[in-house]
Amino acid sequence: MADPSVDADGIRCMIMRGGTSKGLYFLAADLPSDADSRDDLLLRVMGSPDVRQIDGLGGAHPLTSKVAVVSLSADPDADVDYLFLQVQVDRAIVSATQTCGNIIAGVGPFAIERGLVPVTPGTTRVRIRTRNPSGGQTVATVETPHGRVRYDGDTVISGVPFPGAAIPLESPAPAVSLLPTGAVVDEFDGVRVTCVDAGMPVVLVDATDLGLTGTEPPELLESDPVLRERVESLRLQAGRAMGLGEVADETVPKMTLVSRPTAGGSISTRSFIPHRVHTAIGVVAAVSVGAGALLVGSVAHPLLAPRVGPRLRIEHPTGHFDVDVELTSDLYEAGAGSLPAVRSSAVVRTARKLADGLVWPRPSR
Ligand code: NQM
């Protein structure tokens, strides 16, 4: 285990793009095991708190200020454990309350590169157990043609201008309740919302209920202080109703404005994550949005375009995200014994190793 007081030796880490996000990947054994020491170290590695993260490796945006901590799993059904940590950019907060399905796209390649999972000819399946509160298992299929991870390929995902090798990610039913408030619609500040959780707690709001079209660019939404305040007020109330407690300092729930699709997809989205607006959409968040939109009676359901099969095309500011979502039922019946649940979901991402080496954190004060 690295001792943060001996930072002079540097700490081993890999930088990877995972889907539409970017983060630092560490072996758990290379970080302090105590959570407070680990988080203090990660703030100093990333350069937080500072809007520019100028003295660290963070990219000055929530989507590029992320960390994966990976270790061998003791679970016989998993190869590796993955703990996701969101390092806030301008605040000295490291949060483990949410997972990240974009960063998970780099976990399979990282586990193979670090020798945690043996390579098999052609493709290597990596079974990942998420250690964040949402839990859950994900199976990543990584191309390993000559005994090594292949990153280059022809797959293009919206939000990344360059192609890469496809990494299919399949997840069985999440352990969390799809409707954490027990209702398909709740109302806060006179606005009807649907609170869903398929591994990422998300609050769906019809954009027109906030006087928007839902096609506004992220910069426009971020630059409207009245809108931001309205969205945050809904979020704080929804967080309590979803059993998440006081979420002012938390990155969940996410707030997703939904509207009718405009580019041939199933539904259009703009996501507050929760204060900056996502340039695309999170992976698990897209599963939550898709599941919520499938539920008859949700605020998103009337906006959903007709579809064939389990695939939903979620439109977002830089393109679309295809996600296959299967529910046990799309019917919510108030008072019925069981609520609808996600049976399975599947997405395709790409990832790329950008750098591997040692990082020197700023000194501890
Ligand atoms: O929902 C951003 C991202 C995410 C989360 C965020 C994510 C997911 O795009 O699985 O990927 O909502 O904080 O990296």
Side-chain angles (χ1 to χ4, degrees):
M1 185 191 84
D3 178 349
S5 64
V6 201
D7 302 340
D9 290 339
I11 295 154
R12 191 160 64 139
C13 95
M14 192 176 280
I15 307 178
M16 291 193 112
R17 173 183 64 74
T20 50
S21 284
K22 192 153 57 179
L24 306 188
Y25 289 68
F26 294 92
L27 287 177
D30 289 331
L31 291 172
S33 51
D34 162 66
D36 288 342
S37 313
R38 178 201 66 205
D39 293 352
D40 170 69
L41 175 73
L42 292 175
L43 288 166
R44 293 183 288 115
V45 162
M46 283 297 201
S48 292
D50 169 29
V51 283
R52 292 194 301 148
Q53 292 184 316
I54 194 66
D55 203 26
L57 292 181
H61 191 284
L63 298 178
T64 50
S65 185
K66 295 177 172 251
V67 168
V69 183
V70 181
S71 56
L72 272 177
S73 184
D75 181 341
D77 294 328
D79 300 305
V80 293
D81 282 356
Y82 157 62
L83 177 72
F84 171 72
L85 297 169
Q86 180 72 52
V87 181
Q88 295 202 14
V89 173
D90 54 353
R91 303 176 71 185
I93 296 177
V94 178
S95 171
T97 49
Q98 72 165 87
T99 184
C100 177
N102 273 305
I103 290 298
I104 216 172
V107 170
F110 175 75
I112 297 168
E113 296 255 10
R114 285 285 188 262
L116 298 182
V117 178
V119 177
T120 53
T123 58
T124 301
R125 274 161 55 90
V126 183
R127 298 168 308 158
I128 302 163
R129 178 174 75 154
T130 296
R131 300 303 308 268
N132 298 88
S134 63
Q137 301 270 6
T138 303
V139 178
T141 304
V142 182
E143 289 192 28
T144 47
H146 306 290
R148 298 182 61 148
V149 176
R150 178 175 164 219
Y151 293 100
D152 67 310
D154 299 329
T155 300
V156 177
I157 59 171
S158 296
V160 180
F162 310 105
I167 303 177
L169 299 168
E170 293 161 87
S171 303
V176 287
S177 166
L178 180 59
L179 290 169
T181 69
V184 75
V185 169
D186 293 280
E187 195 169 316
F188 306 112
D189 297 339
V191 178
R192 296 173 76 247
V193 305
T194 294
C195 301
V196 273
D197 188 352
M200 182 68 76
V202 174
V203 181
L204 304 174
V205 188
D206 183 334
T208 59
D209 286 343
L210 297 178
L212 301 163
T213 62
T215 56
E216 292 81 0
E219 314 76 67
L220 193 76
L221 298 171
E222 284 181 355
S223 67
D224 181 341
V226 177
L227 173 69
R228 287 177 62 157
E229 212 169 293
R230 279 189 85 186
V231 170
E232 184 65 0
S233 170
L234 295 177
R235 195 179 83 86
L236 297 180
Q237 294 171 74
R240 275 177 227 124
M242 294 168 90
L244 299 169
E246 294 307 318
V247 296
D249 289 340
E250 301 292 347
T251 56
V252 286
K254 312 289 177 186
M255 301 297 294
T256 297
L257 314 185
V258 284
S259 56
R260 285 190 193 284
T262 57
S266 310
I267 194 157
S268 176
T269 61
R270 296 291 182 268
S271 299
F272 286 76
I273 58 165
H275 304 121
R276 302 295 305 268
V277 177
H278 207 306
T279 51
I281 189 168
V283 173
V284 191
V287 178
S288 291
V289 170
L294 290 174
L295 287 173
V296 177
S298 77
V299 301
H301 190 70
L303 308 169
L304 189 64
R307 69 187 190 127
V308 182
R311 176 145 306 176
L312 286 164
R313 176 158 285 189
I314 314 279
E315 297 179 2
H316 58 66
T318 46
H320 62 259
F321 187 108
D322 286 338
V323 53
D324 293 351
V325 190
E326 284 206 67
L327 300 184
T328 53
S329 159
D330 59 8
L331 281 181
Y332 165 79
E333 287 172 58
S338 63
L339 293 170
V342 173
R343 202 193 297 280
S344 64
S345 65
V347 300
V348 172
R349 301 274 81 191
T350 64
R352 201 167 81 78
K353 175 170 71 169
L354 305 176
D356 191 9
L358 299 173
V359 56
W360 280 269
R362 74 168 180 270
S364 188
R365 281 212 174 158

